[in-house]
Amino acid sequence: MMLALTWAFLSVGLFIIPGKSEAAANSGSVYVIPVEHQIERGLTSFMERGFKEAEEMGAGLIVMEINTPGGRVDQAEEIGQLIRNSKIPTVAYIRGNAASAGSYISLNADKIAMAQGSMIGAASMVDGSGNPIEDAKLVAWWKSKMNSAAKANGRDPKIAEGMADMKIEVEMPEIGKTKRAGEIIALSHDEALKVGYADKIADSTNEVIEWMGYSTNDVFHMERTFTEKLATFLTHPGVMTLLLFVGIAGVVIELIVPGFGVPGILGIIGFVLYFFGNYVAGFAGMETWLLFIIGIALMAMELFVPSFGILGILGSISLIFGVVRAAYSTAHVAWSLGIAFVCAVVAIVVVALIFKERGIWNKFILSESLTKDKGYIPIEDRDTLVGLTGRSITPLRPSGTAEFGGQRMDVVTVGGFIDSGRFIRIVKTDGTRIVVEETEET
């Protein structure tokens, strides 16, 4: 009897324990993170926030919806490490392209699912202009990263190397292809499935979730915050160029044609939005804000402190360095800054010509004219004064001031003293001298 009871207890225990283990493996909500656009610092920050929220809410699965042309490999490496260190199971669902650094992110996930028409691969390193990087050390480093990511999840590491290195040959008998030197591996969804670089072909995220054994009733889709969306908009190359144009043109116009206020305000707003977008996106640090503030301050001081242009030059250098420092790519910002600068110069010249009477250059140009209505008489016209009579206003000892026809002049006597209030007559002019003598009242 005791033996039967013991056997029944063990049977029940064995039945219950696996059941609990299976339920635990598929319990919890599903957290879906979109991995889109360029891979840069902003995406890294976004995904760090996503993985942290998924852990805090006790998610049982993280699904990354991937559609990216690639981007910075250093940021892809950080994201890859984030995925590897996650305690929550991860699935990379490639909805479009997992190109370049996007393929590396996908290979770090526990599972890979692909949609019809999607692609993974083409991960060779390129520079900011899209030209292949041929530095042997960099290529070897990136190839080793791709190798490790593939090997960690049981995928053929040679195929991953072939995605990163154009010079090697890779046999892929499963799809009847051989990668030759000079080619790069890019796998379609069906090719990836055959060579083991995809575990499932799925038409939707819900299908991926059900494939992993989770319910689609408790799915949280991560969305970008308003600030993150604004930063994405502000860091678009076209928008950045426009902001730089407004910033440069506005500030310079306010400096050379002061008094408007509006160009200066618009210029400051343009620069602030430029730095804000890059800061939120994760491209810029606090040092870029400091360079911006110092640059604006120095350029403003140039108006009030005589420095022969030194403060203005230093301010411009600080501002330009801050702009370049804040950008995602030096090559990209060089184009944006160059286009914005040329357009700003045109706008500044037009404004300067229209409002030339208000320009700062007028402070350095003598605008007063010595005209007759202000009491100035040209030397060549002084001979016509001979014979005029007037009255001495001050005593002439022998020089002083006299009045002729309501106009005051500095005069000198022929010789001797003439008291004030006496009638005098101009007898000759000698250069700038007007010579007078006392006469009777006429």
Side-chain angles (χ1 to χ4, degrees):
M1 182 69 179
M2 290 295 296
L3 182 61
L5 289 173
T6 302
W7 175 256
F9 175 80
L10 290 173
S11 299
V12 171
L14 290 172
F15 175 78
I16 293 175
I17 291 173
K20 288 183 177 179
S21 176
E22 182 178 349
N26 299 291
S27 65
S29 57
V30 179
Y31 200 90
V32 180
I33 303 176
V35 182
E36 302 171 333
H37 309 298
Q38 290 278 345
I39 297 172
E40 27 72 15
R41 185 67 187 93
L43 179 61
T44 305
S45 300
F46 177 72
M47 294 196 65
E48 286 173 348
R49 178 168 69 85
F51 272 73
K52 182 178 180 181
E53 289 180 0
E55 185 175 350
E56 290 175 349
M57 70 185 295
L61 177 68
I62 294 176
V63 177
M64 296 172 289
E65 296 179 330
I66 297 178
N67 184 17
T68 174
R72 295 178 56 169
V73 295
D74 60 333
Q75 297 305 313
E77 184 185 14
E78 287 192 28
I79 294 173
Q81 185 175 2
L82 179 69
I83 297 170
R84 292 193 302 272
N85 294 338
S86 174
K87 299 178 181 179
I88 304 172
T90 56
V91 178
Y93 177 40
I94 303 173
R95 299 175 58 186
N97 294 325
S100 190
S103 60
Y104 176 76
I105 292 175
S106 302
L107 289 175
N108 278 281
D110 298 320
K111 298 288 184 179
I112 297 177
M114 296 181 70
Q116 298 280 343
S118 59
M119 181 276 291
I120 182 172
S124 60
M125 296 180 70
V126 296
D127 58 22
S129 301
N131 300 316
I133 292 177
E134 298 182 356
D135 187 297
K137 291 183 179 179
L138 286 176
V139 173
W141 170 80
W142 180 234
K143 186 168 64 174
S144 69
K145 289 294 180 181
M146 292 287 290
N147 178 303
S148 298
K151 190 183 296 182
N153 290 296
R155 309 186 195 280
D156 184 354
K158 294 300 293 184
I159 294 178
E161 291 183 6
M163 292 179 175
D165 190 352
M166 298 180 66
K167 296 182 179 180
I168 64 174
E169 291 190 2
V170 180
E171 297 285 346
M172 294 178 287
E174 299 89 347
I175 58 176
K177 288 185 177 181
T178 299
K179 174 204 171 303
R180 304 295 183 186
E183 299 176 344
I184 204 75
I185 295 179
L187 301 173
S188 64
H189 67 280
D190 54 342
E191 290 175 335
L193 185 64
K194 291 176 182 178
V195 300
Y197 267 59
D199 303 298
K200 171 72 174 176
I201 304 301
D203 293 327
S204 67
T205 303
N206 283 349
E207 186 178 343
V208 174
I209 294 171
E210 291 174 348
W211 167 61
M212 291 296 293
Y214 289 83
S215 171
T216 57
N217 296 325
D218 189 12
V219 178
F220 179 83
H221 290 266
M222 183 182 179
E223 295 184 357
R224 293 180 182 270
T225 63
F226 171 78
T227 303
E228 289 170 336
K229 290 179 180 178
L230 179 61
T232 300
F233 170 75
L234 294 176
T235 53
H236 185 278
V239 177
M240 284 202 307
T241 302
L242 179 61
L243 292 176
L244 289 174
F245 162 71
V246 173
I248 296 170
V251 170
V252 175
I253 289 174
E254 187 63 37
L255 291 176
I256 66 174
V257 188
F260 288 101
V262 175
I265 293 173
L266 291 177
I268 296 295
I269 291 175
F271 277 124
V272 168
L273 289 176
Y274 172 84
F275 283 98
F276 172 77
N278 284 280
Y279 178 75
V280 173
F283 306 148
M286 290 303 298
E287 75 280 359
T288 59
W289 285 104
L290 181 61
L291 289 168
F292 164 65
I293 294 172
I294 291 175
I296 293 294
L298 289 175
M299 293 177 72
M301 288 174 60
E302 178 64 32
L303 294 177
F304 308 102
V305 179
S307 67
F308 304 100
I310 295 177
L311 290 177
I313 293 173
L314 292 177
S316 300
I317 292 174
S318 177
L319 196 57
I320 292 173
F321 188 71
V323 166
V324 174
R325 176 73 175 161
Y328 153 69
S329 166
T330 303
H332 290 169
V333 77
W335 277 104
S336 295
L337 189 59
I339 295 171
F341 179 78
V342 172
C343 295
V345 168
V346 174
I348 292 167
V349 170
V350 171
V351 171
L353 291 175
I354 295 174
F355 300 98
K356 59 184 178 181
E357 299 299 328
R358 302 182 60 173
I360 190 175
W361 47 81
N362 288 324
K363 293 184 178 182
F364 309 102
I365 300 174
L366 180 63
S367 58
E368 292 292 334
S369 57
L370 307 179
T371 59
K372 292 183 178 180
D373 60 328
K374 294 183 179 180
Y376 299 98
I377 303 173
I379 294 177
E380 58 270 21
D381 292 342
R382 290 181 182 269
D383 291 341
T384 62
L385 299 176
V386 176
L388 289 180
T389 58
R391 187 189 296 271
S392 60
I393 297 175
T394 63
L396 307 181
R397 300 191 179 94
S399 63
T401 304
E403 184 176 0
F404 298 90
Q407 185 174 354
R408 293 192 175 194
M409 301 182 188
D410 294 326
V411 299
V412 62
T413 65
V414 176
F417 171 80
I418 299 177
D419 200 0
S420 61
R422 301 287 185 174
F423 289 98
I424 57 176
R425 183 177 73 248
I426 299 176
V427 294
K428 69 175 181 177
T429 59
D430 182 13
T432 59
R433 296 172 63 215
I434 299 175
V435 184
V436 299
E437 65 179 6
E438 190 171 357
T439 185
E440 297 295 332
E441 182 179 358
T442 57

